[in-house]
Amino acid sequence: MRTRNTQRTSHAAIALLAILLVSVGASADVLDARFYQIDFMQGADTLIDSDWGTLVLEFDGAPDFQYLNLVVDGMWRIQNIPVWSLQGPSAVNQMSFNFPLGTPAGVDVPMLVYSAELTAEPLFTAPGGVTTDAFVEPRSVTIGGLGGPVGPLPPATPLIGWIPVRWSFNDGFNDYNQDVGVDECVPGAFSNSLSWLDAINPALSIPEGLKSVEGLKEPTGWVPPAVDDFGDPIPGTGGTGVDAWQGKGAALAGYVTTRYFDISQADSIFDELDDDQDVELWGDHHAAVVSGMVQHADGTYTIYVTHDTKQGEDGGTVTEPITYNPTTGDVTGGAPGFFSGSPLRGFVVECPVEPTETTYTFSQIDFEQGADTVMDSDWGTLALTFEGTPDFQFVNLSVDGIWVIQDVCVYSFEGPGTMQTQLLNFPLGNPPGMDVMSINYAASLTPAPLGAPPADPPIFGLVTGRAVTVGGLDGPIGYIPPPFPITGWLPDRWSDNYEFASHNQEVGVDECVPGAFSNSLQSLDEQNDHIDIPADKKSVEGLKGPTGFTSPTTGSDGKPTPGTGGTGVNAWQGKRDSVKQWVTTRYFDISKIDNVFDEIDDDQDVELWGHHHAAMVVGMMKHPNGKYSIQVAHDTKQGQKGGTAIETITYDPATGAVEGGSPGFFSGSMLRGFVVECPRPPGTVGDANGDGVVDVFDIDAFVLAITNPELFELLYPDADISLCDTNGDGVVDVFDIDSFVELIVGGGH
């Protein structure tokens, strides 16, 4: 290990001044900016004091692209690179950007002068205004391990982007980006991707030995690097061949399909990312996970790679953008491992194998709930993957001799003949804090209820971890009670909105309420062509204002803290007012649960209002014993990928509490009620009282709209006063009377 010269190390004596200087004053969104000069520690290709600089940027996340521009010593080095908030729009984000320092290789750069901006729109000229002096620290980089040593290192070039015309991102890879050893880029990239893919697909359950760095070395044909006289590995002397993906594909054929795309097929990768497949970029001598990709109007690409740039040491895991020009076939703005001027080989894509028979996959829930976090909880989850049928099916499960799922009725929300997955939660039987690695279980899925535990002998089942974050309604979720067995039976009455399940979205921390409303309104809008709700009235972001959503606070790790944000229990009222032109909104207390069947039968959308969580209702059943099964569609992994799920809870009106629960609707907790949205029918001008019909019952409301609009709004909160503008002149006044009378006499026509 080398040390910097005394000029560089003396900077520590004025660290306080450095803290004051290193900031980007041009944008309030930037929290911290740090500059580095790269030392490439690459064995025979080592280059100390290279001409490559790195900016490590910390910034507040945003729901849309931001554009980074950087001028260093008078030269525009980073130009309109689109920056996506991969750690979430409500979190503190960090990303690295590489640029030319403008000095010959071998020259130590202790300081630089810069101006930078992070803006909502691209800039047409370089950032101007105030410049800032910043210290430059060394950044030790070791990368590679694909197809031999990296070779001579080319000079850095500016990083240039523009407005995206197409893009796709797989958020959450930062949580799985691992430190790896020297020349381990290939097993490392595969391990990062497969760990992420396994986490977002509960039914996948890849064995640890097939998704760890160590476990992937043999299938990829990895060979260890040679060592020097001190016993340290020499970069570029080990690694894998360029066909390593084939061995990995064969080893994991039972879990994922593996495909290779030549770099000329880059456009196809957008579809793969959109489908939540994992993707690795295959460079000249380095491989990394692709977290996202952007195509610009000029045909060039920005590719965001997530990898370890400090192989064999801690602290090198980063996400960095590179730019690629398909006309030349070369990288134009690089990053360690994907150097400016070097070619890209292609992409490796993994996709979960679709099961063809019923499978039972088990996990133990880690509730990541801020102050209420419970790791290794006593809650278990069964991911039931099955082929849909036209009729009900009944699932039963015994765990270690206890009947924990009893004749729960399963409806095929994705249609008959389609393989689909639903989640059911049950008691594992362990005390909280005890890691459960395996269970002995017996399970069955039958066309009729059993009335008894499964008769088959128990078999061995592996248990993996399931990270869960829910909530955002009226404060933190609080104490997490133990789970109860979940019970069902052949229903006396049922209703479903199965087509609504396809709109279940991933949301941020504490966003259950705007998320549930967005899911429902998008479903309702799709099913009713005439209402045409504007996008900003039915998106998660657009619904935050009307629902009174407040963002959660951030912890010391820069991530939002669950339970510190969200909405109040009356959030549905603000939403009602914001969309009343298109839908009516009503609230049903939980005591009126039977009325909700009629609403679902009429294709209205429904949200379940729990104690501290809300979710879209996609189905409901009533059993002969008076209990109810409610199927909810929601995101159980707020702020991360892979948490959208359909889960069943059971509710006992005799106790007023949930019996068999799910994350957010816990066993023993109370349910508040339901929020129901109904589309306004076409041709409702004159519907003064908001009941969807134009008749004599609108007269009192119409008179009030003309004479006292403030009282009208108070007495008819679901009505839209603009519908009293019956003559279409844009004003509600006495000149509407004649046309209103004509509507009443003509029955609304």
Side-chain angles (χ1 to χ4, degrees), residues 351-375:
C351 170
V353 171
E354 291 292 338
T356 57
E357 59 184 23
T358 300
T359 60
Y360 305 91
T361 308
F362 301 97
S363 55
Q364 180 180 21
I365 296 181
D366 294 327
F367 289 103
E368 299 177 352
Q369 296 292 157
D372 301 306
T373 291
V374 178
M375 305 303 288

Side-chain angles (χ1 to χ4, degrees), residues 28 115 126 158 226 239 254 291 297 300 312 330 355 369 455 461 483 572 599-600 643 658 664 688 706:
S115 175
S291 287
T300 60
D330 294 335
Q369 296 292 157
W572 64 272
E599 303 299 328
I600 298 176
V658 174
I706 293 174

Side-chain angles (χ1 to χ4, degrees), residues 246-316:
Q246 296 178 353
K248 189 278 306 177
L252 282 111
Y255 303 93
V256 298
T257 59
T258 303
R259 292 164 294 152
Y260 183 82
F261 291 75
D262 185 77
I263 192 62
S264 63
Q265 300 170 290
D267 277 352
S268 301
I269 301 303
F270 288 106
D271 294 331
E272 304 298 328
L273 292 170
D274 286 341
D275 289 340
D276 285 339
Q277 321 300 15
D278 68 50
V279 179
E280 299 87 31
L281 178 62
W282 227 238
D284 201 22
H285 294 290
H286 186 63
V289 171
V290 175
S291 287
M293 195 160 77
V294 166
Q295 185 176 30
H296 304 285
D298 61 1
T300 60
Y301 297 86
T302 296
I303 305 172
Y304 302 79
V305 294
T306 299
H307 58 157
D308 182 12
T309 61
K310 206 171 183 179
Q311 295 175 349
E313 300 182 55
D314 294 335

Side-chain angles (χ1 to χ4, degrees), residues 39-122:
D39 295 329
F40 288 104
M41 315 298 288
Q42 295 295 151
D45 299 306
T46 290
L47 178 61
I48 305 301
D49 291 331
S50 76
D51 63 332
W52 285 70
T54 299
L55 164 64
V56 177
L57 193 71
E58 287 189 1
F59 58 96
D60 282 331
D64 299 310
F65 283 108
Q66 301 179 83
Y67 295 86
L68 177 65
N69 284 272
L70 174 70
V71 170
V72 173
D73 296 328
M75 301 300 292
W76 197 2
R77 298 304 194 184
I78 298 178
Q79 303 180 22
N80 292 310
I81 283 294
V83 179
W84 188 256
S85 301
L86 286 166
Q87 284 107 6
S90 303
V92 175
N93 283 247
Q94 180 173 293
M95 193 174 290
S96 297
F97 305 84
N98 300 282
F99 62 91
L101 283 168
T103 55
V107 175
D108 181 19
V109 179
M111 295 191 73
L112 55 76
V113 178
Y114 76 96
S115 175
E117 291 187 29
L118 187 65
T119 57
E121 302 292 338

